[in-house]
Amino acid sequence: MSEAAQPEGYEETAFTTERIPRQAPPPPKGKLGKLGDAFDIARLPWGNYVGVNPSEFEYEYAGGWYRDYEYMGEKDFHDFNHLNELRWSKFVDEDISLIYRFFRFWFVIISHGFSFIGPGGGKGGGWFFSSVVAACTILFLFAADTILAALTPLAIMVGVCGMATILKILFEKYSIRFYKSNQNWSDDVAFCRRSGLVKSFQGNFPFYEFDAFIEMSADMKGNQYHTLKVRHRYPQFSKDKRSGLPLEFTFPTDTGSIAERYAMWDMLSRYMDVSQPLPDIPRLEPFRHLDPTTRAYDEAGKRGRPATYWRDLYARVDEKELKRLRDEHHQTVNAAPWGSRPDLMAQSVPGYKDSYTAEPEDVNAYAHAPTKQVRFVERPDATSEETPRQEPPR
């Protein structure tokens, strides 16, 4: 693989798939912390982007970002946002006391847990609690002395849930005023696009030294939960000195689809790859002109959308329409060709392709195996005209 020219406006260490160096083989599994253990059901491939973003409501088709943007303006939104053209922050440092954190935690738990409004505008826990008390009210009618006494518990519960709903609405509307001055997204724990580095408390490491895994866990009832983990391949250099655990980052998604985890890795990889424009998502739209590659891409007319496409969309649609668009996009994510793509990193890391090479044709079938018949296929080899360059020793 030839060393591609450095795109203008980025540091020499900036990441592109054309500049992945030859690297050392990873340590044996289980020797240095958690690396490919039994809960990792898949290691996701490098490169060969699909170009589909996840349906995670923080990134597509939810109004939270737009409310923040309108209130704060472009400059403050740039600094407050965990995601901009410079870095994707994974740590927030709040300048508040432990006492405040304690009371805020329980305020959020109660107001959000008992609210009639749930995430994304759906039904919240208030409907469940009110329904349970309403069912019990039927029994109270036979035991209570008066109808008023029988209906009192239901009235109290509806009142509590109604108040929780009001508090939740007020919290979501006005909490941004507090966070704007006290919540600071860290540049020291982040995926940095301009430099190609992943910064952490354990040190700074090149993005190409990280691998993405789908991690599966299960509760006592056998329900499966899948999480995207982005983990440093060489924990001997990055493991936490106190816990001994390897350096890893969690990227949550709101839906149960495994394809959504693939889409999140695809978006993160394109975000870090300076040969690619920034992912076309609402939170990054105000900053597209600040990124050299993205600015050239948009000025050439390749985006195919107005400069304020997302802002105009959110200014005119309601939550019902956003939910419809979100559901449609989720179907697009599930239908995308995630499985059986070549893994570019296999050319650069010795022994890399000897594990996690088989995938279901439909990656969502990971959730069904081995209880159902699932057809696994091998990943094809990536092609390259030249051998990647050698990495300088550490």
Side-chain angles (χ1 to χ4, degrees):
M1 183 185 301
S2 60
E3 183 176 349
Q6 174 65 33
E8 184 179 354
Y10 303 99
E11 298 178 28
E12 290 185 1
T13 54
F15 169 77
T16 75
T17 55
E18 297 298 321
R19 303 173 71 239
I20 299 176
R22 184 77 173 176
Q23 300 161 73
K29 293 179 183 178
K31 296 296 183 182
L32 290 167
K34 182 178 179 182
L35 189 67
D37 65 15
F39 292 102
D40 293 330
I41 62 173
R43 187 185 65 202
L44 277 56
W46 273 88
N48 299 285
Y49 305 130
V50 175
V52 175
N53 300 317
S55 302
E56 157 82 41
F57 73 83
E58 190 173 352
Y59 302 110
E60 296 256 16
Y61 301 118
W65 80 274
Y66 185 67
R67 182 187 65 241
D68 297 348
Y69 178 81
E70 277 194 311
Y71 172 72
M72 294 165 49
E74 187 167 309
K75 183 181 184 303
D76 287 341
F77 183 69
H78 177 278
D79 298 335
F80 167 83
N81 196 12
H82 72 285
L83 181 62
N84 57 34
E85 87 288 356
L86 300 175
R87 56 99 180 104
W88 187 327
S89 181
K90 296 297 292 180
F91 180 77
V92 63
D93 183 22
E94 292 184 299
D95 184 20
I96 57 177
S97 66
L98 291 176
I99 295 177
Y100 178 88
R101 292 174 190 259
F102 175 82
F103 284 105
R104 186 187 65 184
F105 172 80
W106 286 108
F107 174 83
V108 173
I109 289 294
I110 294 173
S111 63
H112 288 56
F114 285 85
S115 171
F116 286 116
I117 303 175
K123 292 185 177 180
W127 290 102
F128 171 77
F129 295 115
S130 298
S131 298
V132 171
V133 176
C136 294
T137 299
I138 298 176
L139 300 178
F140 296 158
L141 290 173
F142 295 99
D145 295 331
T146 64
I147 295 180
L148 180 62
L151 295 177
T152 297
L154 177 60
I156 293 175
M157 178 55 66
V158 172
V160 168
C161 293
M163 180 59 66
T165 302
I166 295 174
L167 292 175
K168 179 177 184 291
I169 294 173
L170 293 175
F171 177 83
E172 292 180 344
K173 183 177 181 180
Y174 294 107
S175 63
I176 188 64
R177 299 185 180 182
F178 174 83
Y179 282 116
K180 179 182 174 183
S181 59
N182 293 277
Q183 186 182 56
N184 304 296
W185 287 101
S186 172
D187 292 337
D188 298 324
V189 183
F191 288 74
C192 302
R193 176 173 168 91
R194 293 287 177 95
S195 66
L197 297 178
V198 179
K199 295 184 176 181
S200 72
F201 294 131
Q202 288 98 303
N204 302 332
F205 307 94
F207 178 60
Y208 53 72
E209 289 188 354
F210 286 77
D211 294 320
F213 295 85
I214 300 295
E215 186 177 273
M216 188 274 286
S217 60
D219 60 19
M220 296 298 291
K221 297 181 180 180
N223 298 316
Q224 294 184 10
Y225 301 93
H226 303 91
T227 308
L228 174 64
K229 299 284 187 176
V230 178
R231 189 177 305 143
H232 191 229
R233 191 182 306 122
Y234 307 103
Q236 66 268 38
F237 299 114
S238 61
K239 66 178 179 179
D240 189 282
K241 295 180 179 179
R242 291 172 295 181
S243 67
L245 295 175
L247 174 62
E248 70 175 15
F249 299 89
T250 300
F251 286 82
T253 56
D254 292 305
T255 62
S257 166
I258 294 178
E260 294 283 355
R261 278 71 179 168
Y262 273 74
M264 182 67 77
W265 171 239
D266 193 83
M267 184 171 76
L268 175 63
S269 300
R270 286 182 284 114
Y271 172 82
M272 290 296 291
D273 189 341
V274 296
S275 70
Q276 301 288 313
L278 289 170
D280 195 353
I281 58 176
R283 282 188 178 272
L284 285 173
E285 184 178 66
F287 320 131
R288 292 181 67 87
H289 66 286
L290 301 176
D291 180 74
T293 299
T294 309
R295 182 172 60 249
Y297 181 88
D298 291 353
E299 289 177 351
K302 296 180 180 179
R303 185 189 182 193
R305 288 174 170 177
T308 58
Y309 169 81
W310 289 112
R311 279 169 279 182
D312 295 342
L313 173 67
Y314 281 78
R316 68 173 186 269
V317 300
D318 56 17
E319 180 57 39
K320 183 178 179 180
E321 177 66 9
L322 288 175
K323 182 180 183 305
R324 184 188 69 79
L325 293 171
R326 191 160 52 241
D327 291 343
E328 288 183 355
H329 186 75
H330 179 56
Q331 295 177 9
T332 300
V333 173
N334 283 332
W338 301 112
S340 306
R341 290 175 292 148
D343 194 334
L344 188 64
M345 195 59 67
Q347 301 176 78
S348 303
V349 180
Y352 193 83
K353 66 179 181 180
D354 295 337
S355 62
Y356 297 97
T357 57
E359 292 177 299
E361 289 181 306
D362 176 7
V363 295
N364 285 326
Y366 271 124
H368 307 310
T371 57
K372 293 184 179 180
Q373 190 69 26
V374 177
R375 182 173 180 267
F376 282 78
V377 293
E378 298 292 322
R379 287 177 182 159
D381 291 335
T383 59
S384 175
E385 296 180 0
E386 300 180 18
T387 304
R389 62 182 172 86
Q390 295 290 324
E391 179 189 18
R394 288 180 178 275

